[in-house]
Amino acid sequence: MENKTGLSLAEVELRKERGLQNNFTESATKSTGAIFYDNLVTLFNFLNLLIGICLFLVGAYSNMFYLLIIFVNITIGIYQEIHARNLVQKLSIVNKKQVRVIRDGIELALDSTELVMDDLVKLAAGEQVPSDMEVISGFAEVNEAMLTGESDLIGKQAGAALLSGSFLVSGEVFAQVIHVGKDNYAVKLTNEAKTHKPLNSELIRAIRQVSKFTSFVIIPFGILLFLEAFVLRSSGVKEAVVVSAAAVLGMLPKGLVLLISIALTTGVTKLAKKRILVQDMYAIETLAHVDTLCLDKTGTITEGNMRVYKLHSVDENYKEQLPAIIGSYLKNSTDSNVTMQALRDYFPETTNYSASDITPFSSERKWSKMNLETIGTVYLGAPERVLAGDNIPPVVFNAQKNGLRVLVIAVAETSETNILKRKAIAVIEIEDIIRNNAQETLAYLEQEGVALKVISGDNPVTVSNIAKRAGLPNYDKYIDLTTCQTDEDVKAAALQYTVFGRVAPHQKKLLVQALKQAGSTVAMTGDGVNDVLALRAADVSIAMADGDAATRQISNLVLLDSDFTTLPAVLFEGRRVVNNVTKVSGIFFIKTIYSFLLSVICLLSVQAFPFIPIQITLIDLAIEGYPSFFLSFESNKQKVTGKFLPTALKAALPNALLVVLNVLAVTVLASQLNLSQLEATTLMYYLLIGISCLAVIKACLPLNFLRLFLIITTIGGIYVAAMLFSHILEIGWLTATTLPLFVIGMLVNGVLYSIVTLLKKKKS
């Protein structure tokens, strides 16, 4: 390779035949067919479809309206999975850009996927390394921060390895490809992340638990109720199917899934206006439960930019000339790293002194120099590299203790390289810029019970001091993870420390896993390839828009302005969804509980289930859907407490028991007062509506104008609908006999419900 002719075309073809090409595309994600299958072929959907087919076969078409809700639920599920799958498939560390390859002595521009093993590649400053390589000749400084988290530049010369995904900051090299495809470092690092991340939603998980329980009950109950009606009560096939369907359909909280999706979609829209892109809407809900937040230092707490904090003149002989010396140095320097940019932003360039014998900055030397006329040789760089230990000014050590980066300007009268001949004339303190409102954001998150962890590839002392400046609690509890010998040591450290420095990518993942194993709900922010594994392991992953493309594609949320101080807005949206849905969920589970209890009673007493599907559907729309939809939009920033399912079931239980008691009471009264079947059914249904409306009133407390409007329109609307569509609902109007019974019944229900509510408040 010394003559730099590269591979011959024959050698290239031979390597392609052997599969030694840089075109690895394997994906571990689910196919579209598998996603459709998993969402369509479920016991829940099968039961609903089976009931729908039975209703269709007996001509009970009006009772099949519930299938629309099932269809919408399936559509949402499929969309979410395909959307998440597509984002994962786009995960790619190395951008597909043209690379310069030498073949048969000719320089060619090829796509990175065309590279083969042993190809000779020419790389220059600003280019990304497309495959793992070994430097053959030349010198370059490389930024591997996206891979390792280490922000310092690394010098690369002949024999050094170049990792795929890193960037050349300066210099030019010829390098030979040593790994292709799945053997590349970047691919190995992220291949573990290329797996489908399962849905993480307590709300949906709770509904699935209810559905799983009722699924085991529905089949035997449905069969027994049908046989009881058809055989023991000699009902017709249509009547037997309809009453059986009503009993089993009422046990499934179909409308709640739709309400959750609508509430989350509203949150997605609101956050988009705040420049927050939500790629998985269920992440909004999960973030409301987060109790541990892992933050990256660079690009998260800090802006990723530097600025001059203070200039110290340490030699009176050069004090007057110092601005001109610095300005002339910057004018003649070709260095363009972030530190030099900070200097140029602070000091104006001048032409007071001409320069010669310019040596650019090197991360290996950690200094640069040039000769300025009448001044001598001027050095700029790290104090310990520019000056002898005894010559370093005390101000340097004070600045370093405060977590500031320090540069010294030193002068030697001649180009003498003896470090003892140099003397400091100035010290420049440089700081990482803390994001605006970072202190307020960290303080708020801490106040809300969110434990904060800072994870970085940089020196832990530096990170700790930056955390101190940002107002992070327990900033002094830091550790250098290179001191951890085993994975168990890393996991133990996760629970003991707040600041983690010199963290390798796989260690970030171990920290997140350890926190989750300890029972925490973990959110992780990141912007580099080194964060990918940890982001994938976290319950909620948050990427900065100006970070690596891989982190943007894999994360649940993307902060489009790369500003983590917007996280409270996401937290508020999550709380709004969870608190509001929890508040109204009791209305939805009333039907689940009373349908189960009445089915048991009907089986034991050989009585028909008192309601039919279309009657339940009207309650779904008017009582469950209408007020809950509007209540879900209300602001609610309270901290989420308690578990969703137990809270919802406890809220629904009093109303459900009242429904059962009212049905039993009407059954007894009907026989004593000789009420017709139509009168009894009408009275039961009107009482069912009234008891369900009590739950709406409770959900609307304390009252405001909107909630009062919802109560009035819900109660008035459903009773008007019941009277207008009485024929379709198979009920009648209240009569002179049943109206007094309805009024007395609702008064008793109101008193009993108030007593139960007061007792529950006293217990809590």
Side-chain angles (χ1 to χ4, degrees):
M1 287 294 179
E2 292 181 1
N3 58 9
K4 298 184 177 61
T5 58
L7 298 176
S8 67
L9 294 180
E11 289 172 325
V12 171
E13 290 303 319
L14 181 62
R15 283 161 175 73
K16 287 183 177 180
E17 290 175 6
R18 293 177 179 175
L20 300 176
Q21 188 175 346
N22 197 43
N23 59 350
F24 179 69
T25 57
E26 182 181 74
S27 174
T29 55
K30 289 200 294 187
S31 66
T32 302
I35 291 174
F36 270 86
Y37 180 86
D38 289 348
N39 281 275
L40 288 171
V41 185
T42 65
L43 180 60
F44 177 78
N45 290 340
F46 170 74
L47 293 171
N48 280 289
L49 180 61
L50 183 62
I51 295 168
I53 291 172
C54 293
L55 291 170
F56 178 80
L57 291 176
V58 298
Y61 307 123
S62 61
N63 290 289
M64 295 174 61
F65 187 79
Y66 75 94
L67 287 174
L68 179 61
I69 297 175
I70 304 301
F71 174 76
V72 174
N73 289 343
I74 292 172
T75 303
I76 291 172
I78 291 173
Y79 170 78
Q80 286 299 321
E81 284 213 55
I82 290 180
H83 182 62
R85 190 277 313 273
N86 289 344
L87 290 172
V88 172
Q89 285 186 334
K90 291 177 182 176
L91 179 60
S92 176
I93 302 308
V94 181
N95 295 327
K96 291 184 177 181
K97 294 182 178 179
Q98 295 281 296
V99 294
R100 293 174 292 169
V101 184
I102 313 300
R103 290 179 180 174
D104 279 333
I106 301 173
E107 184 177 312
L108 306 171
L110 300 175
D111 190 276
S112 61
T113 58
E114 290 294 314
L115 288 177
V116 298
M117 185 72 78
D118 301 322
D119 252 331
L120 183 64
V121 180
K122 185 179 180 182
L123 294 168
E127 294 182 347
Q128 188 177 29
V129 181
S131 190
D132 292 350
M133 301 182 187
E134 180 181 327
V135 177
I136 302 301
S137 64
F139 176 82
E141 290 185 316
V142 179
N143 184 336
E144 295 182 348
M146 287 294 183
L147 296 167
T148 65
E150 173 61 63
S151 60
D152 290 338
L153 300 182
I154 302 171
K156 302 286 186 179
Q157 53 191 357
L162 294 173
L163 298 177
S164 55
S166 59
F167 285 88
L168 269 66
V169 176
S170 65
E172 183 176 277
V173 296
F174 285 90
Q176 185 181 24
V177 175
I178 57 174
H179 292 140
V180 292
K182 64 181 179 181
D183 295 323
N184 278 319
Y185 176 81
V187 177
K188 286 182 177 179
L189 187 65
T190 60
N191 205 37
E192 185 178 339
K194 284 192 173 184
T195 55
H196 177 69
K197 192 173 184 179
L199 178 67
N200 185 12
S201 166
E202 185 195 1
L203 299 178
I204 297 300
R205 194 161 51 245
I207 290 172
R208 286 177 176 173
Q209 289 175 346
V210 173
S211 300
K212 185 177 180 180
F213 170 75
T214 54
S215 295
F216 290 111
V217 175
I218 282 175
I219 292 179
F221 271 37
I223 294 173
L224 290 173
L225 287 169
F226 173 79
L227 291 176
E228 182 185 67
F230 187 69
V231 177
L232 299 181
R233 296 200 310 274
S234 301
S235 301
V237 174
K238 181 176 180 178
E239 182 184 346
V241 168
V242 169
V243 294
S244 303
V248 294
L249 281 174
M251 299 180 197
L252 298 170
K254 301 174 288 297
L256 191 54
V257 179
L258 189 57
L259 176 68
I260 292 169
S261 298
I262 292 171
L264 288 170
T265 302
T266 304
V268 171
T269 304
K270 286 184 178 181
L271 291 175
K273 295 178 181 178
K274 299 179 183 293
R275 302 279 297 158
I276 301 170
L277 173 63
V278 180
Q279 302 192 108
D280 175 6
M281 68 180 184
Y282 292 103
I284 300 176
E285 173 210 333
T286 308
L287 194 59
H289 294 281
V290 163
D291 52 27
T292 304
L293 176 61
C294 297
L295 298 165
D296 188 22
K297 174 187 73 68
T298 305
T300 303
I301 294 178
T302 65
E303 294 180 2
N305 298 315
M306 302 286 184
R307 70 182 168 197
V308 174
Y309 178 69
K310 188 178 288 186
L311 171 67
H312 300 273
S313 175
V314 294
D315 191 323
E316 288 296 325
N317 296 325
Y318 289 90
K319 188 173 183 179
E320 297 297 327
Q321 299 165 279
L322 195 54
I325 292 173
I326 297 174
S328 296
Y329 194 100
L330 295 174
K331 178 68 176 178
N332 293 285
S333 174
T334 58
D335 294 329
S336 60
N337 52 45
V338 291
T339 303
M340 291 299 289
Q341 186 59 50
L343 294 178
R344 287 190 171 94
D345 290 340
Y346 190 84
F347 299 105
E349 294 183 357
T350 64
T351 57
N352 294 61
Y353 304 101
S354 60
S356 62
D357 192 19
I358 300 172
T359 302
F361 179 82
S362 161
S363 59
E364 187 175 354
R365 290 189 307 269
K366 295 193 181 298
W367 54 258
S368 60
K369 72 177 179 68
M370 66 180 65
N371 291 333
L372 294 181
E373 64 172 344
T374 74
I375 300 297
T377 302
V378 180
Y379 290 82
L380 175 66
E384 64 275 11
R385 294 296 187 91
V386 172
L387 299 169
D390 294 340
N391 292 335
I392 298 177
V395 68
V396 168
F397 303 110
N398 292 331
Q400 289 175 335
K401 286 180 181 178
N402 291 325
L404 297 169
R405 297 193 180 197
V406 183
L407 294 176
V408 299
I409 300 176
V411 172
E413 292 183 359
T414 66
S415 58
E416 173 65 52
T417 57
N418 188 345
I419 195 171
L420 297 174
K421 298 292 182 73
R422 305 170 194 164
K423 59 179 179 180
I425 64 171
V427 173
I428 303 173
E429 296 180 6
I430 297 177
E431 64 176 352
D432 279 316
I433 302 174
I434 304 295
R435 289 191 180 276
N436 289 332
N437 302 320
Q439 291 187 346
E440 292 85 347
T441 301
L442 294 177
Y444 171 79
L445 292 171
E446 177 73 14
Q447 179 185 332
E448 292 298 314
V450 179
L452 302 169
K453 307 281 185 179
V454 178
I455 303 174
S456 175
D458 282 340
N459 186 297
V461 177
T462 302
V463 180
S464 174
N465 279 284
I466 288 173
K468 178 183 178 181
R469 288 167 48 210
L472 183 78
N474 302 316
Y475 64 86
D476 54 338
K477 292 183 178 180
Y478 61 85
I479 182 174
D480 185 334
L481 281 197
T482 58
T483 62
C484 294
Q485 302 298 317
T486 66
D487 290 353
E488 294 306 315
D489 292 339
V490 176
K491 290 182 177 180
L495 307 179
Q496 300 175 27
Y497 296 93
T498 301
V499 176
F500 305 85
R502 303 295 186 200
V503 186
H506 76 279
Q507 290 177 324
K508 289 189 177 186
K509 178 182 177 182
L510 289 173
L511 291 172
V512 171
Q513 289 177 332
L515 293 168
K516 289 177 65 176
Q517 288 168 4
S520 298
T521 302
V522 182
M524 168 83 186
T525 68
D527 62 354
V529 178
N530 60 94
D531 300 316
V532 166
L533 296 180
L535 288 169
R536 203 67 179 144
D539 294 299
V540 182
S541 49
I542 306 163
M544 303 296 162
D546 58 8
D548 190 86
T551 60
R552 294 196 299 270
Q553 292 161 356
I554 204 172
S555 296
N556 302 126
L557 297 97
V558 180
L559 307 183
L560 297 179
D561 292 328
S562 298
D563 185 359
F564 91 103
T565 60
T566 58
L567 287 181
V570 187
L571 185 67
F572 290 153
E573 279 306 306
R575 290 182 174 183
R576 178 188 66 79
V577 171
V578 175
N579 287 328
N580 288 343
V581 169
T582 301
K583 187 173 184 178
V584 301
S585 60
I587 303 173
F588 289 86
F589 283 113
I590 294 171
K591 182 174 76 234
T592 301
I593 298 173
Y594 77 66
S595 294
F596 175 77
L597 295 176
L598 287 177
S599 295
V600 174
I601 292 171
C602 289
L603 285 172
L604 295 176
S605 62
V606 196
Q607 296 292 318
F609 191 81
F611 309 113
I612 60 176
I614 189 61
Q615 295 171 350
I616 303 300
T617 301
L618 177 60
I619 290 177
D620 287 343
L621 294 174
I623 295 181
E624 293 182 1
Y626 165 66
S628 301
F629 175 77
F630 287 100
L631 289 173
S632 69
F633 293 146
E634 290 191 314
S635 176
N636 193 327
K637 298 180 181 179
Q638 293 181 353
K639 187 176 180 181
V640 176
T641 57
K643 293 292 184 180
F644 168 71
L645 187 57
T647 303
L649 292 176
K650 286 178 183 177
L653 186 60
N655 299 79
L657 292 177
L658 280 177
V659 171
V660 174
L661 289 174
N662 277 250
V663 169
L664 294 176
V666 171
T667 302
V668 172
L669 286 172
S671 61
Q672 292 180 347
L673 300 176
N674 295 318
L675 297 179
S676 67
Q677 181 62 45
L678 181 62
E679 286 179 315
T681 300
T682 302
L683 181 57
M684 285 182 187
Y685 189 61
Y686 272 57
L687 288 169
L688 170 61
I689 291 174
I691 295 168
S692 299
C693 287
L694 290 176
V696 173
I697 295 172
K698 181 183 177 183
C700 288
L701 296 177
L703 293 176
N704 57 31
F705 178 78
L706 171 64
R707 295 177 180 182
L708 183 60
F709 175 79
L710 289 175
I711 291 173
I712 294 171
T713 52
T714 298
I715 296 174
I718 191 167
Y719 278 118
V720 169
M723 289 184 282
L724 290 177
F725 302 106
S726 58
H727 178 70
I728 298 174
L729 295 170
E730 298 185 20
I731 59 173
W733 287 42
L734 291 174
T735 63
T737 304
T738 55
L739 179 58
L741 295 175
F742 168 74
V743 173
I744 294 170
M746 283 309 303
L747 288 174
V748 173
N749 288 329
V751 171
L752 291 175
Y753 192 65
S754 299
I755 293 172
V756 172
T757 302
L758 289 173
L759 290 175
K760 286 175 68 177
K761 280 186 178 180
K762 287 184 179 180
K763 283 187 178 182
S764 60

